[in-house]
Amino acid sequence: MRVLFVHADRVAFEATTAVEPGVDAAEPDGAPSAGELTDCVAAFVGVESADATALDAVVADAADELRAAIDRLNADGAVLSPADHLVDDPADAERVRTVLRGLDAAIAPEIEVVRAPVGWHAALDLSAKGHPFARRSVRIDPADAREAPPTERRLLGADGELTHPEDLDAALDDARAVLDADPTGAFAGDRGDGLAVERLRESGLADSPDDDGGLRWLPRGAVVRDVLAAYAADLAAERDGAPIETAGVDGVRTGGDAPSVADPGVESTDRPAWRFDPGRETPELRAATRDPERAREAFRAGVEVASRASEALGLDVRPMVRATRAFYADNETWLAELAGAFDAPVPVEVSEKKRGSRSLAVDLLTIDADDRALAVAGVRLDRAAPDRDGPESDGPVRRVRCAPVGRLDRAVDALAASAARRDPPGIPTWLAPTQVRLVPVADRHLARCEAVATALDPGGVRVDIDDRTATVGDRLADAAADWVPYYAVVGDRERDADALDVTVGREATERELTVSQLREAVAAAVGDKPRSRLSTPRRVSRRPRFADRGGR
């Protein structure tokens, strides 16, 4: 099989003429007769007769290549199109359909895919991007695909030894749980289970309008997502990460002062030089070098940043290492040193990857109530493919990518899972959609609530007022369910007093605080983390999601 990848601003196709007589529909295999995508990878797939000897393995390898292309290019989708002209001995139409269906099934859960029909001549309108890596072809040999040994899942100790999980004692159940949970990855193109949409819906963070896997952010979820993205940008700024305005491949921009392959962006300083790509789904710090030791230095720095970010999110995380067999064999000592930084043997996947660029990955995962391992941060060490290395004497470019908060949607999902396990439920104050909630006993107390909210505004506090007609008890229960870290009832006594009786949700305690003390308490809890305003009406009764909960 040969696949040509093109990074495109836009791809549109329309079936015009059937190749075989008597075919009167352009959807014999479920593919549409016409389709269009923007900012995508166009994959032109040439299937050979010889691919039949290991068809499933060839499809799996092609899917890996497509994921890698989507990941490197930060594309929003993929268009799959048959391309018999790429190969000398093309397979029959039914086998081509089988391959395209397999690629569609492997990729579609993660990203939008449009598949062109097989057996039709199609009009094609393609606008390709102009950066140096916008076009790339790969050759997938069915013999290589068939011979690739299976992935090994082991635990890596500080001595560098790989041990089968069943050979270890029960004290390592946590590490085994990561291996058994089919972990997601931290990057947009990584495989893994979908989001827990029902949990996000119940938390008032996001919804899936048609239950088709697509995500629509609700106002509360948008606040958490935006604060996470701002935090990733702050971490990048601490590392002097120069923003990437237009991402090309592996962090190399197509203009401006971005590093080229000859000047990969790691300079002679005491630490790696970073670039920052805010991304569409996954904010990333990136560095590149031809020096293996500097690549390791950058990788270690990335793990430190990712660990620090996971701690700030208040998540109980566990490491997961993925390495190619060749990389593990060449770097046993360094990987043992990496594993030794953690308190216990580290779960590791060792696989054979004859194509693609990934050599090493570390994900920081949290296990949810459904035994899914959700990645909340990750670091990658990639090696450029040979056709992009430049002069052989210079050696290959090694690129390190760090996603300190992982994919934003998965990070929010992980926070929702973590909040649900707490009693009372909650997330760190700096991430809470509402940081202070005021609950007036009656309408005559609304003016006092508005005055308190206005006084908190200069401190950047996200404050709202639950003025619904529900009982005070029900509204306090909703404040806990909405993860509000500070909430207070405002009645006759509070209307005329300087102080409020404030419930601190995370501590399950009550404090008497003046408005200025409350503002200072929130500021201390937020610290140097980003702040973002509420994007919803201050009065809860005016929010659509409360229309069926006593709003007026």
Side-chain angles (χ1 to χ4, degrees):
M1 179 188 297
R2 185 173 291 280
V3 186
L4 172 64
F5 297 116
V6 179
H7 193 195
D9 286 315
R10 175 179 176 272
V11 179
F13 64 84
E14 182 178 3
T16 56
T17 308
V19 175
E20 302 172 2
V23 177
D24 57 4
E27 299 188 5
D29 57 353
S33 60
E36 178 181 352
L37 273 186
T38 57
D39 202 355
C40 63
V41 172
F44 297 95
V45 184
V47 184
E48 298 173 285
S49 297
D51 292 335
T53 60
L55 199 60
D56 289 345
V58 169
V59 170
D61 280 4
D64 284 344
E65 292 289 353
L66 180 54
R67 286 190 194 92
I70 292 168
D71 197 11
R72 285 194 303 268
L73 298 165
N74 280 334
D76 287 339
V79 175
L80 306 178
S81 180
D84 291 349
H85 62 279
L86 292 178
V87 295
D88 295 328
D89 183 20
D92 61 76
E94 190 53 41
R95 188 154 288 130
V96 176
R97 289 190 186 100
T98 299
V99 169
L100 292 187
R101 286 193 199 108
L103 288 173
D104 190 350
I107 300 298
E110 306 160 23
I111 199 164
E112 184 177 5
V113 176
V114 176
R115 176 162 53 96
V118 176
W120 286 75
H121 294 300
L124 179 69
D125 184 8
L126 185 150
S127 176
K129 294 182 182 290
H131 60 77
F133 309 118
R135 298 165 185 80
R136 179 170 178 254
S137 67
V138 296
R139 175 83 169 85
I140 298 172
D141 189 325
D144 288 344
R146 185 172 59 249
E147 294 170 1
T151 296
E152 294 181 47
R153 307 186 103 185
R154 297 288 188 267
L155 294 177
L156 178 63
D159 56 2
E161 292 295 320
L162 286 176
T163 309
H164 193 282
E166 297 305 320
D167 297 334
L168 299 168
D169 59 41
L172 297 173
D173 282 345
D174 281 355
R176 271 196 293 271
V178 172
L179 289 174
D180 294 340
D182 191 20
T184 69
F187 291 78
D190 287 345
R191 277 190 273 187
D193 293 336
L195 300 167
V197 175
E198 187 59 35
R199 179 167 60 213
L200 293 171
R201 182 184 294 123
E202 290 176 356
S203 301
L205 300 174
D207 203 350
S208 181
D210 303 315
D211 290 324
D212 59 357
L215 200 65
R216 176 174 64 91
W217 290 104
L218 299 175
R220 294 179 71 245
V223 170
V224 181
R225 176 203 62 196
D226 292 348
V227 174
L228 282 171
Y231 179 54
D234 285 353
L235 291 173
E238 289 180 12
R239 292 272 164 182
D240 298 325
I244 298 173
E245 297 171 3
T246 305
V249 179
D250 297 321
V252 178
R253 279 199 297 175
T254 60
D257 60 353
S260 65
V261 171
D263 176 19
V266 175
E267 301 167 5
S268 299
T269 61
D270 59 350
R271 65 181 186 181
W274 294 93
R275 300 293 187 269
F276 177 63
D277 182 2
R280 299 179 185 85
E281 299 179 52
T282 311
E284 292 182 19
L285 275 161
R286 301 177 181 181
T289 181
R290 295 186 188 278
D291 184 337
E293 185 51 46
R294 293 194 68 77
R296 293 176 182 180
E297 178 188 351
F299 193 90
R300 285 189 289 263
V303 172
E304 187 275 329
V305 170
S307 300
R308 176 180 159 201
S310 297
E311 183 178 353
L313 267 59
L315 297 174
D316 177 21
V317 297
R318 303 152 194 186
M320 173 80 178
V321 175
R322 295 181 177 93
T324 61
R325 233 173 278 278
F327 185 89
Y328 179 80
D330 293 339
N331 296 274
E332 289 187 47
T333 302
W334 181 53
L335 288 175
E337 174 192 325
L338 193 64
F342 300 98
D343 294 333
V346 176
V348 61
E349 285 186 345
V350 180
S351 63
E352 190 75 23
K353 195 167 183 66
K354 294 180 179 294
R355 288 160 300 278
S357 61
R358 184 167 304 160
S359 299
L360 176 67
V362 171
D363 287 318
L364 299 179
L365 304 139
T366 185
I367 308 293
D368 72 359
D370 299 321
D371 293 327
R372 296 187 312 150
L374 307 173
V376 292
V379 188
R380 297 287 184 269
L381 174 61
D382 298 337
R383 173 173 158 162
D387 60 354
R388 287 187 275 143
D389 282 349
E392 189 169 345
S393 59
D394 292 339
V397 174
R398 294 167 173 85
R399 294 181 171 87
V400 175
R401 301 163 54 207
C402 169
V405 297
R407 269 182 51 165
L408 294 175
D409 54 0
R410 286 182 182 162
V412 175
D413 189 13
L415 284 166
S418 174
R421 291 196 298 267
R422 299 180 186 276
D423 185 21
I427 60 177
T429 299
W430 67 278
L431 287 165
T434 297
Q435 294 167 328
V436 173
R437 176 164 294 172
L438 304 171
V439 180
V441 174
D443 285 349
R444 64 180 180 274
H445 307 121
L446 280 171
R448 170 62 171 159
C449 290
E450 290 286 0
V452 171
T454 299
L456 293 174
D457 270 345
V461 177
R462 294 190 289 273
V463 56
D464 63 22
I465 301 169
D466 192 348
D467 60 331
R468 295 173 296 141
T469 57
T471 67
V472 169
D474 285 345
R475 285 181 282 166
L476 293 177
D478 285 340
D482 286 344
W483 314 333
V484 180
Y486 299 89
Y487 50 92
V489 175
V490 178
D492 287 338
R493 186 177 72 85
E494 290 76 18
R495 184 177 58 173
D496 301 320
D498 292 333
L500 304 172
D501 288 329
V502 179
T503 298
V504 183
R506 293 291 296 273
E507 300 173 4
T509 60
E510 190 172 278
R511 299 186 204 167
E512 187 176 83
L513 300 173
T514 65
V515 175
S516 62
Q517 288 172 332
L518 176 57
R519 183 171 60 242
E520 290 168 3
V522 175
V526 172
D528 60 355
K529 304 299 188 301
R531 303 173 188 226
S532 176
R533 296 285 182 181
L534 275 173
S535 56
T536 55
R538 176 176 285 173
R539 295 200 182 188
V540 174
S541 66
R542 297 173 183 172
R543 301 175 188 173
R545 71 177 286 247
F546 291 106
D548 59 347
R549 290 172 57 182
R552 54 188 173 184

